[in-house]
């Protein structure tokens, strides 16, 4: 069986055909500068096992290594920021698990190569925690979470954490509903807002609806994000 296909049934049921590395790279080259900006955020809807996301991570880590390889603590912090910038939604839980694992292995391989004896398990745990929040099982069409059969869970919107780096390695987390982030992108004059449930606020200066977070967290040192959840 072709490595782009796991089974004929999965192709028939879910259109699961993974993109080959050559095409992934050709497409990412169209936005090359962004893929090499460590903090630039990417969301891949229907991410499969993460073919695009792993390549984006590789590119960001290569930049981090070039700039910070002589300072393990700076490399660790910047490679962590790279992880926080990568998001995916995928219908099938096994693909979600594989995607998180691939991203972790790529991050950890480079982490060991650069930071050597200065690697810390606390940082690894923090990276795994971020991946559990950034790569989610959900339906990219309805923007709802899904159960183990890939069925929508009503009233459970996909919620993503935004991680914003502050001074001194501190990180600020704010959680947003993906449907509201996407509505921000659409033409606000065409938009009808849900009643009281909505977290969108109209900004006259921007002439747009701005999503407000569902939840804000106290700033935390990046290695300790998992203690703040
Ligand atoms: C054509 S594959 C592409 C995977 C990946 N983007 C790539 O290029 O390798 C489509 C993927 O979308 C998933 N999928 C299908 N319908 C989906 C939906 N409504 N929401 C999220 N994921 C979906 C499938 O399980 C499959 O992994």
């Amino acid at each position: 069986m072709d490595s782009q296909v796991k089974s004929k049934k999965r192709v028939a049921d879910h259109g699961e055909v993974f993109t080959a590395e050559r095409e992934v790279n050709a497409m990412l080259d169209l936005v090359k500068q962004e893929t090499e900006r460590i903090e630039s955020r990417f969301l891949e809807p229907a991410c499969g096992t993460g073919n695009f996301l792993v390549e984006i991570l590789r590119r960001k880590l290569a930049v981090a290594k070039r700039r910070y390889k002589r300072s393990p603590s700076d490399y660790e912090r910047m490679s962590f920021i790279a992880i926080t910038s990568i998001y995916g939604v995928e219908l099938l839980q096994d693909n979600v698990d594989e995607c998180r694992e691939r991203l972790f292995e790529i991050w950890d391989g480079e982490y060991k190569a650069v930071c050597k004896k200065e690697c810390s398990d606390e940082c690894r745990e923090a990276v795994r925690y971020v991946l559990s929040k950034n790569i989610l099982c959900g339906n990219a069409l309805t923007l709802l979470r899904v159960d183990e059969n890939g069925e929508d869970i009503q009233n459970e919107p996909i919620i993503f954490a935004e991680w914003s780096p502050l001074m001194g390695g501190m990180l600020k987390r704010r959680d947003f509903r993906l449907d509201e982030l996407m509505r921000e992108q659409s033409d606000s004059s065409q938009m009808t807002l849900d009643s009281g449930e909505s977290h969108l606020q109209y900004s006259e200066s921007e002439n747009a609806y701005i999503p407000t977070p569902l939840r804000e967290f106290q700033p935390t040192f990046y290695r300790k994000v998992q203690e703040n959840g």
Side-chain angles (χ1 to χ4, degrees), residues 7 11 15 18 28 31 43 57 62 70 74 110 125 185 215:
S7 74
V11 176
F18 300 120
L28 291 180
V31 287
L43 164 64
L57 181 62
R70 281 180 227 300
D74 287 340
E110 290 299 313
E125 230 185 277
Q185 308 296 321
R215 210 174 150 192

Side-chain angles (χ1 to χ4, degrees), residues 20-191:
E21 196 176 326
R22 201 176 63 159
E23 279 73 42
V24 167
N25 275 306
M27 288 170 75
L28 291 180
D29 283 345
L30 298 173
V31 287
K32 193 164 187 293
Q33 275 188 329
E34 286 304 309
T35 62
E36 293 174 351
R37 211 157 62 78
I38 293 171
E39 65 280 18
S40 173
R41 294 190 180 102
F42 282 83
L43 164 64
E44 186 181 0
C47 66
T49 59
N51 283 2
F52 282 87
L53 300 179
V54 298
E55 187 51 39
I56 292 165
L57 181 62
R58 276 201 193 103
R59 292 177 181 211
K60 287 169 174 247
L61 293 180
V63 173
K65 193 172 178 175
R66 245 187 350 260
R67 286 193 196 146
Y68 305 107
K69 61 174 181 274
R70 281 180 227 300
S71 167
S73 63
D74 287 340
Y75 175 83
E76 181 187 273
R77 186 169 43 81
M78 295 311 291
S79 73
F80 192 89
I81 290 172
I83 281 283
T84 63
S85 72
I86 285 175
Y87 296 86
V89 174
E90 162 60 40
L91 196 67
L92 304 178
Q93 185 64 53
D94 62 342
N95 284 342
V96 169
D97 296 342
E98 198 175 328
C99 179
R100 288 177 182 158
E101 200 51 37
R102 287 177 79 193
L103 290 165
F104 179 80
E105 289 301 328
I106 286 166
W107 176 85
D108 196 42
E110 290 299 313
Y111 184 46
K112 282 184 217 152
V114 177
C115 297
K116 301 190 175 79
K117 280 189 283 188
E118 290 177 54
C119 289
S120 96
D121 283 340
E122 186 183 41
C123 188
R124 291 191 172 102
E125 230 185 277
V127 165
R128 284 207 184 272
Y129 180 76
V130 169
L131 289 172
S132 77
K133 299 291 171 197
N134 281 22
I135 310 297
L136 293 180
C137 200
N139 184 333
L141 298 176
T142 60
L143 306 179
L144 293 170
R145 298 298 298 264
V146 294
D147 63 21
E148 61 282 4
N149 302 313
E151 302 292 338
D152 287 357
I153 308 174
Q154 294 308 320
N155 303 320
E156 268 204 39
I158 295 172
I159 294 171
F160 275 127
E162 173 202 67
W163 314 92
S164 305
L166 307 172
M167 299 293 281
M170 301 297 279
L171 203 61
K172 170 89 178 156
R173 171 179 166 188
R174 301 190 304 161
D175 286 357
F176 291 91
R177 286 173 58 144
L178 180 58
D179 55 353
E180 293 183 353
L181 294 174
M182 307 265 293
R183 273 195 284 184
E184 186 205 357
Q185 308 296 321
S186 62
D187 178 2
S188 54
S189 64
Q190 300 289 312
M191 200 168 57

